[in-house]
Amino acid sequence: MSDSKLAGQFFGAAIGLLQQVRDEDAGDIEAAGTLIADTVADGGRLFAFGAGHSSLAAQDIVYRAGGLALMNLLVVPGVVGVDVMPATLGSALERVDGLASAVLESSPVRSGDVLVIISLSGRNALPVEMAMKARALGVKVIGVTSVAYASETTSRHASGTYLKDHCDIVLDSRIPVGDAELTADAIAAPFAPASTVVTTALLQAVMATAAGALADRGIEPPLLRSGNVDGGHEWNRRVMTEYGDRIFYRHQ
């Protein structure tokens, strides 16, 4: 099988998933964007969390040109990416009871805020506990997950529940269990994951919806510009000054 054929198959699979999410998640995307716009308009703050590779989609909407300046990364030490050594420690920490509660209790997250929690499987203790604890604090939770995992895997949380069970809004990425889109006779394991592509697109669609909802209300969306275009830094300083009390990723 040629490399170009496999590449084309991956693009086809990813495009198919994107089209499915666009068509089948439209109502939830609208609801999530509206909730974020409501929160911005009401003086609330925005946070995003993901563990391991799910953190890539969370980071993609934080301090991002064209993104909402108010979106902050909720960091759980040791699980944001694969830079922790050994890398397997990050996966192990996702299964530790009590970690999410400790992080939330020491974070700036408070009632009236929105927390986006991204977990492909939604089965580990960390995202489930984080959603449960956040809602108990009066925080609205948007979960981004593959709902298929709830019917094809077992929960690793003591409650037996999944992330999807503790969210105000669930965005289903439609990613098949195992997160690998391709197989080939000469390759033993399935390969070519598409979860980052689809999850990132889902969240950017939500951010676009939120920006439009704010504009419809006569509120200028607090968007960042690229620092690599003329005037970008000046624009961003203005936005960060205006919304400085709701931005936690910058030095004061």
Side-chain angles (χ1 to χ4, degrees):
M1 178 175 290
S2 69
D3 295 342
S4 60
K5 185 175 181 180
L6 287 174
Q9 288 182 0
F10 176 75
F11 280 119
I15 291 168
L17 283 165
L18 288 170
Q19 290 174 331
Q20 185 179 8
V21 166
R22 179 196 63 193
D23 296 340
E24 298 180 15
D25 286 13
D28 293 322
I29 291 170
E30 182 75 21
T34 299
L35 175 57
I36 288 174
D38 290 343
T39 303
V40 172
D42 293 342
R45 291 90 60 82
L46 309 174
F47 296 87
F49 165 77
H53 287 93
S54 290
S55 179
L56 296 174
Q59 293 179 58
D60 191 61
I61 56 174
V62 175
Y63 188 52
R64 183 65 191 264
L68 292 172
L70 275 61
M71 184 62 73
N72 301 277
L73 188 67
L74 182 64
V75 176
V76 177
V79 305
V80 182
V82 294
D83 56 337
V84 62
M85 297 296 288
T88 51
L89 175 60
S91 298
L93 288 173
E94 290 187 63
R95 306 179 190 182
V96 174
D97 292 331
L99 180 57
S101 294
V103 167
L104 282 172
E105 288 168 1
S106 61
S107 78
V109 178
R110 67 188 184 192
S111 179
D113 293 345
V114 164
L115 173 59
V116 179
I117 301 177
I118 306 155
S119 173
L120 177 61
S121 72
R123 68 187 297 220
N124 289 314
L126 182 56
V128 175
E129 180 187 329
M130 184 168 288
M132 294 173 70
K133 177 69 174 181
R135 293 184 85 188
L137 293 173
V139 176
K140 296 292 186 181
V141 175
I142 298 171
V144 188
T145 187
S146 172
V147 172
Y149 276 81
S151 60
E152 299 183 38
T153 67
T154 56
S155 171
R156 290 176 175 150
H157 188 263
S159 66
T161 60
Y162 296 78
L163 170 61
K164 73 175 186 63
D165 300 316
H166 305 284
C167 300
D168 296 279
I169 299 169
V170 175
L171 300 173
D172 187 358
S173 64
R174 319 279 170 169
I175 298 295
V177 173
D179 191 18
E181 296 302 317
L182 302 184
T183 59
D185 292 340
I187 302 175
F191 56 102
S195 59
T196 302
V197 173
V198 176
T199 303
T200 298
L202 252 177
L203 286 172
Q204 291 298 349
V206 170
M207 296 301 110
T209 301
L214 287 167
D216 287 344
R217 304 177 197 187
I219 300 172
E220 180 184 333
L223 298 169
L224 296 173
R225 289 182 180 270
S226 171
N228 295 313
V229 300
D230 292 343
H233 290 301
E234 292 76 14
W235 174 282
N236 292 341
R237 278 196 292 270
R238 177 184 65 80
V239 172
M240 289 185 178
T241 298
E242 183 176 351
Y243 291 95
D245 60 334
R246 293 193 261 175
I247 297 173
F248 301 96
Y249 53 77
R250 58 172 296 186
H251 294 294
Q252 300 298 326

